[in-house]
Amino acid sequence: MRKLGIIGGTSWSSTALYYDHINRAVAQRLGGFHSARLVLESVDFADLIALEDANDWDGVAKLNIDAAQRLQAAGAEGMLMACNTTHKVYDAVAANVDIPVLHIADPAGDRLAADRIGRVALLGTRFTMTEPYVRSRLESRGIDLVTIDPAWIAEVDRIIFEELARGRVVRDSQRKLKTLMTELAKHKVQAVVLGCTELALAVDTRANVIPVYDTAAIHARAAVEWMLEEAEQARAAA
C-alpha cells in the first residue's frame, strides 16, 4: 500500500471525515485489521483564515507548500489537500514537491461525466463558487455549472465559516441548504456538488430532492484507489 500524505486542519472537522472515509474504504477493500498508511500535516486553521481574509494567497501557498514538503520528507509517496478552497494554490503546491498531489475536482468531474450529469450547481466557499480552480476542471468535462444567486453565495459562505468550520451544525442552516437545493431542482439542475468538505456535515447526501456529489468523499475514495493500485496490479500479475 502506498503511503498517503494529507494536508489537513482546514478545518479539522473535515479532515476527520477524510480520515474516516479513507480508513473505512481500505478496511472494506482489504478486510481483516487493515487500515490506511497515512501521514497527516494538520495546519492551524486560524492562520489560514487570516491569510485568506487578507487576500494573501501567496501566504496561503507558502503555508501549504511548507506542509507538503514536510509530508514528502516524512515518507509520503503522494498527497492530497483536504480542502476545496486551498486548491486555489494547488498548482504552486504541486510544483514544489516531487510526488503526485491528487486534485479534488478531477475524480468528482469524472464521476459526474460517467453518470451523464450535464448541469450542476457547485456549492462551497465564495472563492470556490466564483473562481475557476474547481469550476474549470468540471467544465473541461462538458459539465455546465449554473450561476448561483449572490445572496445564496453569501449565505452558504457564512454557514461554512461561521458554523461548520467551527464544528457547529445549526438546524436552521440545514433547512436553508435544503431550501436552496429545492430551488435549484426547480431550475432543472441535475445534481448538486458539495465543493466544501464541511458541507457534508449539514447536508444529507443520500436524502435530497436531487443527487448530491460530495467532493471530499469522492476525493477520499480516489485516494484509496491510488494507494492500492500497485498492490492490486502485483496481485493480478501473480
Side-chain angles (χ1 to χ4, degrees):
M1 189 191 312
R2 289 167 169 156
K3 181 184 285 189
L4 178 74
I6 300 175
I7 302 176
T10 55
S11 66
W12 69 263
S13 52
S14 67
T15 307
L17 292 175
Y18 267 88
Y19 189 83
D20 184 73
H21 285 313
I22 291 170
N23 277 291
R24 285 184 185 277
V26 167
Q28 183 181 47
R29 289 279 290 275
L30 300 182
F33 293 108
H34 285 288
S35 58
R37 295 181 67 227
L38 299 171
V39 55
L40 172 64
E41 178 73 23
S42 188
V43 304
D44 186 344
F45 195 39
D47 294 340
L48 184 67
I49 292 296
L51 292 167
E52 290 179 357
D53 286 346
N55 202 33
D56 183 2
W57 291 98
D58 287 340
V60 172
K62 184 178 187 311
L63 186 152
N64 281 276
I65 289 167
D66 289 348
Q69 290 176 340
R70 286 191 292 268
L71 287 173
Q72 181 172 321
E77 298 166 81
M79 71 180 68
L80 60 77
M81 304 160 71
C83 173
N84 280 269
T85 300
T86 55
H87 277 71
K88 184 175 167 77
V89 299
Y90 169 88
D91 289 341
V93 174
N96 280 277
V97 290
D98 300 319
I99 57 177
V101 183
L102 311 179
H103 198 287
I104 198 168
D106 291 337
D110 291 343
R111 179 78 62 83
L112 289 163
D115 291 347
R116 299 184 183 278
I117 302 293
R119 180 174 167 83
V120 307
L122 174 65
L123 304 183
T125 65
R126 62 191 183 276
F127 308 110
T128 300
M129 284 190 279
T130 60
E131 298 187 32
Y133 54 88
V134 169
R135 297 176 64 88
S136 63
R137 299 228 176 193
L138 302 181
E139 290 168 339
S140 70
R141 291 163 169 83
I143 298 163
D144 177 33
L145 273 66
V146 303
T147 301
I148 306 293
D149 184 274
W152 273 119
I153 291 175
E155 181 59 13
V156 174
D157 187 79
R158 184 199 67 77
I159 290 169
I160 292 167
F161 284 112
E162 293 185 10
E163 298 170 11
L164 300 177
R166 300 170 187 260
R168 296 175 56 227
V169 179
V170 178
R171 183 63 182 159
D172 183 58
S173 294
Q174 289 179 299
R175 286 192 289 265
K176 287 180 179 178
L177 291 168
K178 191 147 191 135
T179 297
L180 171 57
M181 292 185 187
T182 301
E183 289 185 8
L184 291 168
K186 291 176 181 177
H187 288 85
K188 302 188 185 306
V189 171
Q190 294 176 273
V192 167
V193 176
L194 300 184
C196 170
T197 50
E198 288 90 356
L199 279 173
L201 298 169
V203 174
D204 187 343
T205 58
R206 296 162 298 179
N208 270 282
V209 292
I210 50 178
V212 175
Y213 289 73
D214 176 6
T215 55
I218 296 169
H219 197 202
R221 178 68 66 168
V224 171
E225 295 291 335
W226 173 84
M227 294 169 75
L228 299 180
E229 182 181 39
E230 286 186 345
E232 293 186 343
Q233 287 176 349
R235 280 199 297 272

